């Protein structure tokens, strides 16, 4: 019996390791999640029944072993070095010049790599099996975090192919940005403390004393260097070593490459810099490594850093400045968002004066007060945020007490005086005034006229402000009643109130062209589409993609307005919460009146028959198409998949069954990879369609 069990255990382990490799390294999964889970369960059951077959590197250890107390100290036989830093191009030129001079090579090749912002780790393998993993520590010795590292699924526990007797691989443990965001969202929903940033998330997760907790954290690993190696002859260059590591089963960043001479390096730096925000993980610069090992040896080391490598860092994305005031803003859905007005500061290439505090929890956590010195961060195109307060610099009064009290979110809306309330389990506080609240009304109007909604050219924030404040517009339908004279009168009153009467007006001339254009733009917007109108209405949680799905699913507005929650839940991508929001929106008499008024004003769109998922071999599957296909349009591909019963959705989520990725697929593909979804290329789609459409 045990012999049979042993054979099955070996078979399952092999299959699960292969699946992991296909999934994490080749990005070409071969097993469905349920099949993987089933095999893992079978293996766990067998291991429980046959303790003699247990193995510390079995795929079952990914769930985390029981805690074993403090971390032991591990000495690094080959020290873990640090890197010299450069911020300026000139420093890179000096670095390359030094290498050219000392190696006599006029155009040396470099391995160029992203500088991952996580935690450096050394992994030790003996005879192809993982034996130990440790943090960098002080470079000479670190902490043994093996049990935690075993839970990271992209770290191989057994190497593929011919493994050397001893192999130490160094790399970075990181938390991918999308996972970090998702984690924090869930943590906030549970009322737990969110992680400060992905780097802290990775570090904190790896230092957990209970590996079962680490196993819950979305960590990843990328290899970029070697430590001790015995029983293998290395290739002659670092870039070839990275390729070899990938073959052995280690993830290597997709951004690594080679570049020649200083121009090649600076070009790489610039190109990565441009794509920085689109990468799935945080990087704080790039690393250049002289590629040929014989040249590396010739350059040698200074103190604890190699002379053959250089970290070229990006300008800091975090800066310190002072808080001038703390304000709140009321959004379209009433969300009350606290933010700070700051002394202007240059962060990551732009000057910022405002940073968000997100919500009341964050305000309480950070305790930002007027006069405080704060660290602000800008990540990509997201709104700058306050990271923390430098408490030592808080202004104090003569008695040593803080000069300003803690900031409190108002309990009345600053715009309409309605109560500000926070629903049970929600982080966001909202003004309860609804469309009675001018702030919400303005935001709704702005959204209604925005380019992707009704696309009313020229209807900017300033006009909306005046239209609402002076009582010209109460609902979005009122826009369609406005005349050229209304606009001119409104502008005159607004100018008078602001004391900014233009010279032309004083001279008795009144410009009317702008008003004529605006009225014309409003007129043009009447010819719209159902999906635009649905999006423009500003139903909470109905973005462009959901609006489009709703428009297709119902074909016309009336059946959608009549649909109950149950019917709405049948729509792809619409879950119970969104279904409730939509049903609730259309139940409100006020909203029905606005829609009737829009129609009466002449807003119109084409309606068609509902296009619902048909029954077929793909029934129950949700598919996302992204990127361009060579053999047909995306719409055609979508229609053919729908004809087979699939729901075609515009956004990737855990519920997506598979993603078809064509040429130049972007963020959706990246998200699908992160979620570990099944990703199809065009040939696979064509083969599948050919098979099923027969
Ligand atoms: S190589 C001998 N490559 O940067 C050179 N390091 O400042 C050893 N890091 O502790 C390091 N990405 O945590 C290397 N592609 C990369 C890296 C990288 C990030 C970190 C690593 C190291 C620190 C050195």
């Amino acid at each position: 019996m045990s012999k049979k069990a042993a054979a099955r255990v070996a078979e399952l382990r092999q299959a699960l390791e292969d699946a992991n490799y296909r999934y994490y390294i080749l990005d070409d999964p071969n097993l469905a999640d349920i099949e993987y889970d089933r095999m893992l369960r079978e293996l766990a059951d067998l291991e429980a029944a046959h303790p003699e077959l247990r193995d510390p590197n079995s795929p079952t250890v990914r769930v985390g072993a029981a805690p074993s107390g403090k971390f032991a100290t591990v000495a690094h036989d080959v020290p873990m070095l640090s890197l010299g830093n450069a911020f300026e191009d000139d420093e890179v030129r000096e670095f390359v010049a030094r290498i050219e001079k000392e190696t006599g090579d006029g155009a040396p090749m470099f391995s160029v790599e992203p500088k991952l912002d996580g935690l450096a780790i050394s992994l030790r393998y003996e005879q192809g099996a993982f034996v130990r993993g440790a943090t960098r520590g002080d470079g000479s010795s670190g902490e043994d975090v093996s049990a935690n590292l075993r839970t990271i699924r992209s770290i191989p526990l057994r190497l593929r192919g011919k493994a050397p007797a001893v192999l130490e691989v160094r790399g970075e443990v990181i938390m991918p940005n999308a996972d970090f965001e998702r984690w924090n969202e869930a943590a906030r929903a549970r009322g737990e403390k969110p992680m400060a940033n992905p780097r802290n998330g990775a570090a904190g997760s790896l230092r957990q004393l209970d590996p079962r907790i680490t196993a819950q954290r979305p960590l990843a690993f990328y290899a970029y260097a070697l430590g001790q190696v015995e029983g293998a002859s290395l290739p002659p260059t670092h870039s070839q070593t990275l390729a070899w590591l990938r073959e052995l089963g280690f993830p290597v960043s997709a951004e690594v490459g080679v570049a020649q001479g200083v121009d090649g390096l600076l070009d790489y730096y610039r190109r990565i810099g441009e794509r920085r925000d689109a990468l799935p993980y945080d990087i704080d610069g790039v690393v250049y490594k002289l590629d040929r090992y014989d040249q590396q040896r010739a350059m040698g080391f200074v103190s604890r850093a190699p002379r053959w490598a250089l970290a070229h860092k990006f300008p800091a994305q975090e800066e310190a400045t002072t808080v001038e005031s703390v304000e709140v803003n009321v959004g379209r859905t009433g969300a009350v968002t606290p933010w700070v007005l700051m002394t202007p500061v240059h962060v990551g290439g732009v000057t910022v004066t405002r940073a968000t505090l997100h919500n009341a929890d964050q305000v309480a956590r950070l305790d930002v007060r007027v006069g405080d010195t704060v660290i602000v961060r800008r990540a990509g195109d997201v709104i700058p945020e306050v990271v923390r307060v430098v408490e030592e610099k808080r202004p104090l009064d003569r008695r040593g007490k803080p000069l300003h009290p803690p900031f409190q979110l108002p309990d009345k809306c600053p715009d309409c005086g309605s109560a500000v309330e926070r629903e049970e389990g929600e982080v966001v506080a909202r003004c309860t005034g609804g469309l009675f609240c001018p702030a919400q009304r303005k935001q709704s109007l702005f959204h209604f006229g925005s380019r992707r909604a009704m696309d009313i050219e020229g209807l900017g924030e300033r006009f909306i402000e005046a239209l609402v404040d002076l009582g010209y517009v109460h609902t979005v339908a009122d826009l369609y009643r406005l005349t050229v004279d209304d606009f001119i009168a409104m502008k005159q009153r607004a100018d008078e109130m602001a004391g900014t009467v233009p010279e032309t007006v004083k001279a008795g001339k009144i410009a009317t062209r702008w008003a004529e254009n605006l009225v014309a733009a409003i007129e043009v917007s009447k010819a719209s589409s159902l999906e635009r109108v649905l999006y423009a209405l500003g139903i909470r949680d109905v973005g462009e993609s959901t609006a489009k799905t709703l428009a297709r699913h119902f074909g016309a507005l009336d059946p959608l307005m009549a649909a109950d929650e149950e019917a709405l839940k049948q729509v792809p991508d619409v879950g119970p919460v969104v279904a409730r929001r939509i049903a609730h929106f259309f139940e409100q008499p006020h909203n029905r009146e606005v829609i009737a008024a829009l129609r009466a004003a002449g807003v119109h769109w084409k309606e068609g028959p509902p296009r619902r998922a048909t029954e077929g071999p793909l029934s129950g599957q949700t598919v996302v198409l992204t990127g361009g296909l060579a053999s047909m349009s995306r719409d055609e591909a979508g229609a053919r998949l729908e004809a087979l019963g699939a729901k075609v959705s515009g956004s990737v989520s855990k519920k997506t069954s598979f993603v078809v990725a064509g040429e130049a697929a972007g963020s959706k593909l990246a998200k699908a990879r992160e979620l570990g979804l099944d990703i199809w290329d065009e040939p696979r789609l064509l083969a599948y369609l050919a098979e099923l459409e027969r």
Side-chain angles (χ1 to χ4, degrees):
M1 172 57 203
S2 189
K3 218 166 153 190
K4 227 174 104 192
R8 181 63 184 154
V9 162
E11 185 183 11
L12 286 167
R13 285 180 185 158
Q14 189 63 50
L16 288 163
E17 277 162 23
D18 285 346
N20 246 15
Y21 176 69
R22 295 272 304 248
Y23 186 111
Y24 288 104
I25 312 300
L26 300 185
D27 202 4
D28 177 25
N30 64 334
L31 272 192
D33 283 1
I34 34 171
E35 185 57 10
Y36 185 94
D37 291 344
R38 194 200 60 71
M39 286 166 62
L40 198 61
R41 241 182 348 261
E42 184 185 345
L43 179 58
D45 290 346
L46 280 170
E47 287 175 354
H50 303 275
E52 73 281 7
L53 297 177
R54 282 189 196 160
D55 180 329
N57 288 331
S58 169
T60 51
V61 304
R62 302 290 196 186
V63 297
S68 61
K70 261 180 61 190
F71 300 125
T73 303
V74 182
H76 300 299
D77 286 339
V78 175
M80 290 181 77
L81 302 171
S82 57
L83 292 169
N85 277 337
F87 283 94
E88 307 297 334
D89 290 2
D90 274 346
E91 297 170 87
V92 179
R93 290 194 184 93
E94 283 161 25
F95 164 74
V96 176
R98 217 158 38 233
I99 287 172
E100 287 175 352
K101 179 159 167 257
E102 291 181 36
T103 60
D105 183 344
M109 290 297 292
F110 290 88
S111 171
V112 289
E113 308 168 10
K115 188 169 190 303
L116 303 163
D117 199 8
L119 214 70
I121 286 290
S122 184
L123 304 170
R124 185 178 173 91
Y125 294 81
E126 293 176 3
Q127 312 303 341
F130 175 78
V131 290
R132 192 181 318 115
T135 59
R136 177 170 183 273
D138 62 4
S140 313
S141 65
E143 287 178 321
D144 183 339
V145 286
S146 307
N148 289 344
L149 290 168
R150 280 194 169 93
T151 69
I152 300 176
R153 292 179 186 232
S154 56
I155 292 182
L157 296 175
R158 223 175 275 283
L159 302 183
R160 311 188 66 80
K162 222 171 120 272
V166 175
L167 177 70
E168 274 178 15
V169 173
R170 271 112 195 232
E172 204 87 349
V173 168
I174 55 119
M175 184 174 286
N177 292 341
D179 292 310
F180 164 78
E181 298 292 348
R182 220 168 304 137
W183 177 271
N184 269 359
E185 209 171 290
R188 286 195 198 100
R190 287 193 300 264
E192 289 169 18
K193 202 176 131 201
M195 300 167 173
N197 55 50
R199 209 202 94 82
N200 280 13
S205 301
L206 211 57
R207 280 203 216 93
Q208 291 291 329
L209 283 171
D210 186 344
R212 290 168 301 196
I213 293 178
T214 310
Q216 308 298 318
R217 305 285 173 88
L219 299 177
F221 173 81
Y222 290 96
Y224 51 63
L226 291 178
Q228 196 186 346
V229 184
E230 279 172 25
S233 50
L234 293 180
T237 65
H238 178 69
S239 55
Q240 285 168 292
T241 295
L242 292 181
W244 175 58
L245 288 177
R246 203 180 262 151
E247 279 168 32
L248 288 172
F250 293 97
V252 174
S253 164
E255 311 302 323
V256 303
V258 290
Q260 195 165 26
V262 73
D263 293 338
L265 301 188
L266 295 178
D267 186 52
Y268 177 76
Y269 177 79
R270 232 142 264 147
R271 275 184 295 122
I272 291 273
E274 279 163 16
R275 296 184 38 240
R276 180 178 184 185
D277 301 332
L279 296 180
Y281 36 67
D282 272 356
I283 63 174
D284 55 351
V286 299
V287 182
Y288 310 130
K289 298 172 186 167
L290 190 56
D291 204 26
R292 271 169 53 182
Y293 287 135
D294 60 331
Q295 293 183 335
Q296 286 189 2
R297 276 190 293 274
M299 294 302 297
F301 299 85
V302 275
S303 62
R304 307 202 58 86
R307 294 180 68 239
W308 43 264
L310 184 71
H312 190 180
K313 302 258 227 138
F314 294 132
Q317 299 267 91
E318 284 186 6
E319 288 299 334
T321 183
T322 49
V323 173
E324 294 181 354
S325 64
V326 186
E327 315 271 342
V328 298
N329 174 56
V330 181
R332 176 163 61 84
T333 58
V336 175
T337 308
W339 56 277
V340 292
L341 186 67
M342 311 168 301
T343 309
V345 62
H346 209 64
V347 192
V350 298
T351 303
V352 301
T353 52
R354 295 157 177 237
T356 181
L357 292 168
H358 296 295
N359 53 53
D361 284 353
Q362 188 78 342
V363 167
R365 193 171 76 80
L366 295 172
D367 184 19
V368 178
R369 307 185 190 193
V370 174
D372 274 351
T373 297
V374 289
I375 307 297
V376 277
R377 186 205 343 257
R378 201 183 73 92
D381 50 11
V382 303
I383 308 163
E385 60 176 358
V386 175
V387 184
R388 65 190 160 83
V389 171
V390 184
E391 263 177 67
E392 311 83 81
K393 296 203 177 164
R394 171 161 291 167
L396 303 175
D397 63 15
R398 272 179 305 166
R399 276 161 298 158
K401 295 257 163 54
L403 204 55
H404 299 278
F407 175 76
Q408 295 245 297
L409 216 59
D411 52 10
K412 295 258 184 306
C413 172
D415 280 87
C416 71
S418 303
V420 168
E421 280 171 10
R422 189 163 151 182
E423 269 172 50
E424 182 86 23
E426 279 243 14
V427 277
V428 178
R430 285 174 205 280
C431 160
T432 51
L435 289 181
F436 168 71
C437 172
Q440 292 186 51
R441 221 155 51 205
K442 288 173 194 169
Q443 296 290 338
S444 306
L445 279 161
F446 188 67
H447 171 78
F448 184 82
S450 64
R451 199 169 52 78
R452 315 188 76 113
M454 300 306 278
D455 193 16
I456 304 177
E457 175 117 24
L459 187 67
E461 245 167 306
R462 264 221 234 109
F463 283 140
I464 288 174
E465 186 106 338
L467 286 171
V468 171
D469 287 344
L470 298 174
Y472 283 88
V473 168
H474 296 276
T475 78
V476 293
D478 294 338
L479 284 173
Y480 292 96
R481 278 205 290 268
L482 294 172
T483 63
V484 173
D485 288 345
D486 287 336
F487 273 113
I488 290 169
M490 170 207 85
K491 176 127 190 316
Q492 261 169 1
R493 283 178 61 194
D495 284 345
E496 276 161 25
M497 280 165 63
T500 55
V501 181
E503 291 304 320
T504 46
V505 175
K506 284 185 194 150
K509 282 184 256 166
I510 298 176
T512 57
R513 190 59 159 277
W514 65 272
E516 284 157 15
N517 287 342
L518 208 42
V519 170
I522 292 172
E523 183 63 29
V524 167
S525 78
K526 286 182 183 171
S528 190
S529 66
L530 181 54
E531 61 188 76
R532 273 181 184 269
V533 172
L534 287 175
Y535 174 61
L537 288 174
I539 307 165
R540 224 169 113 193
D541 287 341
V542 176
E544 271 185 287
S545 145
T546 307
K548 190 169 181 170
T549 322
L550 288 168
R552 286 167 67 101
H553 187 88
F554 289 96
L557 186 56
D558 288 327
L560 167 58
M561 286 175 71
D564 61 10
E565 280 180 47
E566 265 326 295
L568 287 161
K569 275 196 281 185
Q570 304 308 311
V571 181
D573 277 1
V574 174
V577 176
V578 182
R580 198 175 327 120
R581 297 248 154 89
I582 299 169
H584 181 75
F585 182 91
F586 289 118
E587 274 163 21
Q588 304 294 308
H590 166 79
N591 291 331
R592 292 179 161 269
E593 281 160 26
V594 169
I595 290 165
L598 284 173
R599 280 174 153 161
V603 175
H604 62 280
W605 54 87
K606 232 177 55 211
E607 301 203 324
R611 286 166 66 190
R612 306 213 173 145
T614 43
E615 280 300 309
L618 285 176
S619 289
Q621 305 238 41
T622 305
V623 184
V624 174
L625 295 157
T626 178
L629 301 174
S631 57
M632 63 184 114
S633 72
R634 222 158 50 202
D635 278 348
E636 184 187 342
R640 287 169 72 176
L641 287 165
E642 279 175 346
L644 294 168
K647 290 177 182 176
V648 176
S649 159
S651 58
V652 175
S653 77
K654 269 204 316 233
K655 287 197 217 142
T656 309
S657 314
F658 61 90
V659 173
V660 178
E663 271 304 301
S667 61
K668 287 182 194 172
L669 176 59
K671 180 156 182 209
R673 289 215 172 104
E674 265 150 38
L675 290 173
L677 299 175
D678 201 359
I679 297 165
W680 291 22
D681 58 9
E682 185 165 358
R684 181 161 171 200
L685 173 70
L686 292 177
Y688 187 82
L689 291 174
E691 175 85 6
L692 286 183
E693 288 173 348
R694 260 194 303 211

